[in-house]
Amino acid sequence: MGRKAGALYINPKKFGAVAKPCMPEMVAFLNCLALNKQNDDKCLRQKDLLVACTQTQKGKPKNAAKTINYHLQRLGRDKWGG
């Protein structure tokens, strides 16, 4: 079940296995918010862990060769001869 863009077929399941940094921290924070009726004062520990995780990810560059946009641009260049 992929999507077609012209003659290009994209398999979204292939990109679903990409590492998702800070996902456990975000899920823990959202669960805490749900349990405490959106009161983030009671979720300070989870919030601090999420902020710390996102701050450490901020300096890391993304690997452009693994993004779908990179592949779409590459295939577009090959197709149009650019």
Side-chain angles (χ1 to χ4, degrees):
M1 292 278 157
R3 296 184 185 134
K4 279 194 171 182
L8 179 65
Y9 178 79
I10 303 168
N11 185 357
K13 291 180 183 178
K14 181 178 177 183
F15 295 99
V18 177
K20 296 172 180 74
C22 304
M23 186 60 73
E25 291 86 353
M26 184 173 64
V27 169
F29 179 62
L30 293 174
N31 284 336
C32 182
L33 286 176
L35 290 172
N36 293 303
K37 299 181 181 179
Q38 310 303 321
N39 185 1
D40 65 342
D41 293 335
K42 296 181 179 180
C43 302
L44 289 177
R45 181 173 178 271
Q46 288 85 355
K47 185 177 179 181
D48 290 341
L49 288 172
L50 179 59
V51 169
C53 182
T54 56
Q55 291 298 322
T56 59
Q57 295 297 320
K58 189 182 266 187
K60 294 183 181 178
K62 288 184 179 179
N63 187 355
K66 292 185 179 180
T67 65
I68 191 168
N69 288 333
Y70 168 79
H71 293 290
L72 289 173
Q73 288 174 354
R74 182 177 55 82
L75 291 170
R77 279 194 305 261
D78 293 344
K79 184 177 180 180
W80 303 110

